[in-house]
Amino acid sequence: MTEGGERRAWIVAARIWIGIFLVFLYLPIFMLILFSMQKNQFASFPLMGFSTEWYRKLFNDGTLITALGNSILVSPAAATVATIISFLAAYAINRFEFRGRNLLTGIFIMPVLIPGLILGVACLGLLSRLHLNGELYSVFLMHVLLTTAPALAIIQLRLSQLPRSHEEAAWDLGATEWQALRRVVIPWALPGIVGGWLLAFTFSFDEFLIAWFVAGFDQTLPVAIFSVLKAVVDPSLNAIGTIVFLISGIVLVGVEMFVLPLVFGREQGTDSNPGV
Amino acid sequence: MENSAIALRGAKVRTPNQSWLREFCLLPAVAWYGVFFFGPLCFFLWFGFWRVEDYSPVADFSLTNYREIFANMFTGSNYGWGIAQSLWVSVPAALIATTCTYLVVLAIVYGVPARRQRLALLLTVAPFWSSYLLRLYAWQIILAREGAINSLLTAIGLGEWRIALMYTQIATRIGLIHYVTPILIIILYVTVSNIDRALIDVSRNLGATRLQTFRKVILPLSRVGLITSVSFATIICLGDFLSGSLLGGGGGTSLIGRVPTFPDMIMSEYGSSSNLPRTTAMASILVVIMLIVLAISIRLMTPALKGNRR
């Protein structure tokens, strides 16, 4: 085979492999959406035709919708508090030199590295001693902790790209530190703040184990889905699943708009890395 | 006179590094982590040593829980087999996930034009943003005995090819692999895209074939990323309870037998007994196993890191 022909063959093989991988990744999501809109009681072929029956059942039934309501309450609240906390911390870490700065950054990232099972058991132990468990706000308290780490990572990435001179120029021109923070740093950090919030929201919205341990009867959506899943075959799960994927999809578009430019921003447009 | 005093005081003006803003900004995060992270974690480590009297935990430094657990390693509750099952599920899952993802990343970096790489990355990482629980449920409807794959095979007349994966640990691994791959994509993409193109060009110009270049240049330079990704995936899989419960059905079949994974045992222990200290002690053992995996991976990484520094 000629050199060019061999190269072609490799590239074709590479793309086929990416294709197979994408099918593996998206097959479950596709199936769930497909069967949410079919008459079939069980997810099996042949398809019996389009129907919105399961969506109607979902909204009439109520439990999953109540849980969705709980999640819609807890996740944005947790994400907002986590974003505020992590913006302040990221600002301090980025601006000030102090001993133990790297250690502190490492500690802030830790909660996402520790498995939910461990953190869940640990929280339950402590919160039950303090009689704080079994309520929606216990989930909120723990989710703020869990989502601070990803939000912090994104915001810190953005802040580290802010040239130091911007803030110093504001001080020289007579701005107080507070004014400089409000007028210079926050506008600059805004894409990072939005991206951090979206990431925090996603982490909280999908989090199951910690919520399962501390939620009690105020279930968040993943906890409620798990209870239904363990009990019966219920196609309204397909319907709620489709709705959740839709929400995730919207968040993902936000991430694509705010987070990816931060990561790839500099490389955009410069074709420095042409394919083989 | 007065003027110079002002000037002196002015000279002592605080540097930008000293400001009330530093404490003000760090305080919320430090307070939150102290109360809701270090509090629970320290308590967690201690709680495993508590005793239970009349169904309620009593503060103590007793080894009762650990003694009970180690007495039940291979008899009674069979915790040891649970740990073995967990390792047998997690390590192969991590290896398969890393291999497949590595090949995908190589394909993206070397087989996709630069302007489309970002799209390819976005597509491969996107499932990370969807609910893990729902993805497992979707695998359930795909793999079930009368599920999507089997009913499709029957419908097109290939009935004898039906699969029986549901409620085996193979299904557990499929769920786990589906969960970790988007994360591994990021780790491995960072590794592979940082390999200097010049090294590859030199190797090719000096007459090495593609496979030789891969074996002698790309693979050694990916070593740290590959070890990181295998150990990271192993730790995530070891701590996961959902896939083993939903796809493995609790005690899923494998070469080891119908034994649940260790996290599954922890969860059922939590559900069935009121002995929270013992559940905590079991979770502490899981932490120790994870730390051992981490230590092994760091040990494996050290020569590679030294090699890079040379």
Side-chain angles (χ1 to χ4, degrees):
Chain A
M1 212 188 291
T2 61
E3 169 62 25
E6 201 195 319
R7 198 178 100 175
R8 267 234 83 67
W10 277 107
I11 288 180
V12 169
R15 290 185 187 171
I16 290 175
W17 179 245
I18 296 175
I20 294 172
F21 189 75
L22 287 177
V23 169
F24 169 75
L25 282 183
Y26 286 95
L27 182 71
I29 298 168
F30 171 75
M31 284 292 176
L32 201 136
I33 296 172
L34 176 70
F35 282 108
S36 78
M37 299 177 200
Q38 293 293 323
K39 287 202 192 91
N40 304 39
Q41 166 80 36
F42 299 101
S44 58
F45 292 98
L47 301 172
M48 290 176 179
F50 179 80
S51 148
T52 53
E53 194 184 338
W54 310 121
Y55 289 89
R56 252 177 292 133
K57 184 166 178 292
L58 174 72
F59 282 96
N60 291 336
D61 211 17
T63 37
L64 287 172
I65 292 298
T66 314
L68 179 64
N70 283 340
S71 276
I72 290 292
L73 208 64
V74 166
S75 298
T80 306
V81 175
T83 308
I84 295 170
I85 290 180
S86 52
F87 169 75
L88 292 175
Y91 175 72
I93 287 173
N94 196 57
R95 179 181 150 190
F96 299 108
E97 298 280 344
F98 55 91
R99 261 180 19 162
R101 197 170 68 155
N102 291 336
L103 181 70
L104 201 63
T105 316
I107 287 173
F108 284 147
I109 300 298
M110 269 173 76
V112 281
L113 300 179
I114 293 182
L117 182 63
I118 308 300
L119 215 51
V121 173
C123 299
L124 181 71
L126 190 73
L127 292 181
S128 70
R129 291 276 93 195
L130 302 173
H131 301 290
L132 279 174
N133 66 318
E135 307 264 349
L136 211 49
Y137 68 75
S138 349
V139 182
F140 163 77
L141 293 175
M142 295 320 301
H143 276 192
V144 170
L145 173 76
L146 187 76
T147 57
T148 297
L152 186 90
I154 299 290
I155 296 174
Q156 172 112 60
L157 182 69
R158 177 64 180 172
L159 280 180
S160 67
Q161 294 165 359
L162 170 72
R164 232 151 222 275
S165 52
H166 280 37
E167 207 182 355
E168 282 162 12
W171 298 334
D172 286 345
L173 293 172
T176 62
E177 284 180 292
W178 184 245
Q179 282 170 329
L181 183 62
R182 251 185 40 223
R183 300 278 186 81
V184 178
V185 181
I186 291 184
W188 171 272
L190 208 57
I193 292 174
V194 175
W197 189 90
L198 289 171
L199 200 59
F201 172 83
T202 306
F203 267 68
S204 165
F205 194 63
D206 291 341
E207 201 283 326
F208 164 74
L209 261 174
I210 295 176
W212 190 81
F213 272 112
V214 301
F217 291 110
D218 291 334
Q219 297 178 324
T220 59
L221 188 58
V223 181
I225 290 175
F226 183 74
S227 323
V228 176
L229 207 47
K230 273 298 194 182
V232 284
V233 179
D234 183 354
S236 34
L237 281 177
N238 295 333
I240 191 83
T242 305
I243 294 173
V244 170
F245 284 148
L246 202 67
I247 296 175
S248 309
I250 295 169
V251 172
L252 189 66
V253 171
V255 169
E256 154 78 349
M257 281 163 61
F258 292 102
V259 181
L260 290 191
L262 301 186
V263 183
F264 291 103
R266 307 248 157 118
E267 293 157 37
Q268 226 14 37
T270 61
D271 231 25
S272 61
N273 206 8
V276 177
Chain B
M1 205 50 201
E2 210 170 289
N3 272 349
S4 67
I6 291 173
L8 264 178
R9 226 181 294 146
K12 267 196 263 169
V13 85
R14 294 163 305 151
T15 66
N17 196 32
Q18 298 161 315
S19 161
W20 57 276
L21 269 176
R22 187 172 78 187
E23 281 71 30
F24 173 82
C25 288
L26 284 174
L27 188 67
V30 169
W32 207 284
Y33 272 68
V35 177
F36 296 109
F37 187 57
F38 286 101
L41 280 189
C42 295
F43 186 72
F44 168 80
L45 293 177
W46 181 33
F47 203 40
F49 295 97
W50 285 33
R51 279 176 303 120
V52 171
E53 268 174 21
D54 299 332
Y55 301 103
S56 62
V58 182
D60 199 355
F61 280 104
S62 107
L63 283 171
T64 326
N65 300 319
Y66 288 95
R67 221 174 281 138
E68 270 175 35
I69 293 167
F70 281 103
N72 274 305
M73 269 295 166
F74 296 98
T75 57
S77 307
N78 278 324
Y79 297 128
W81 286 115
I83 294 171
Q85 182 75 291
S86 274
L87 288 169
W88 171 237
V89 168
S90 306
V91 177
L95 288 172
I96 295 168
T98 303
T99 313
C100 294
T101 314
Y102 186 51
L103 292 176
V104 169
V105 166
L106 288 175
I108 290 177
V109 174
Y110 299 121
V112 174
R115 68 203 139 75
R116 295 242 202 85
Q117 278 190 16
R118 187 170 146 181
L119 178 69
L121 269 184
L122 182 74
L123 282 175
T124 44
V125 176
F128 178 71
W129 264 268
S130 65
S131 158
Y132 174 42
L133 187 64
L134 283 168
R135 283 188 274 152
L136 288 176
Y137 166 64
W139 276 112
Q140 235 179 16
I141 65 177
I142 292 171
L143 297 175
R145 211 156 54 85
E146 298 301 328
I149 290 184
N150 279 343
S151 61
L152 187 64
L153 287 173
T154 312
I156 58 175
L158 291 170
E160 69 266 36
W161 293 89
R162 291 162 59 92
I163 50 163
L165 291 180
M166 198 59 195
Y167 301 137
T168 66
Q169 302 292 0
I170 295 176
T172 308
R173 289 192 200 103
I174 292 178
L176 289 171
I177 291 170
H178 199 254
Y179 179 48
V180 297
T181 40
I183 310 171
L184 300 189
I185 289 267
I186 298 173
I187 299 177
L188 291 171
Y189 180 78
V190 171
T191 308
V192 175
S193 63
N194 277 334
I195 294 176
D196 193 346
R197 271 303 169 104
L199 294 174
I200 297 167
D201 293 342
V202 166
S203 158
R204 295 283 286 136
N205 288 342
L206 291 175
T209 64
R210 282 196 167 72
L211 282 176
Q212 281 170 333
T213 307
F214 172 72
R215 264 194 28 237
K216 303 275 176 172
V217 180
I218 300 176
L219 196 56
L221 288 174
S222 312
R223 188 181 149 124
V224 173
L226 286 170
I227 296 172
T228 310
S229 125
V230 171
S231 62
F232 190 69
T234 307
I235 290 174
I236 293 182
C237 295
L238 279 174
D240 180 80
F241 140 81
L242 281 175
S243 191
S245 169
L246 294 175
L247 297 179
T253 348
S254 78
L255 288 181
I256 288 186
R258 299 189 58 83
V259 187
T261 57
F262 194 55
D264 204 276
M265 286 180 168
I266 297 178
M267 294 295 272
S268 32
E269 178 93 10
Y270 166 73
S272 64
S273 83
S274 53
N275 195 335
L276 203 49
R278 193 168 68 203
T279 311
T280 311
M282 285 171 70
S284 309
I285 293 177
L286 184 61
V287 173
V288 172
I289 297 170
M290 290 170 173
L291 289 177
I292 293 173
V293 172
L294 194 66
I296 293 174
S297 72
I298 290 174
R299 183 94 192 75
L300 288 174
M301 243 183 266
T302 328
L305 282 178
K306 273 188 193 136
N308 281 356
R309 227 177 278 140
R310 192 173 50 212

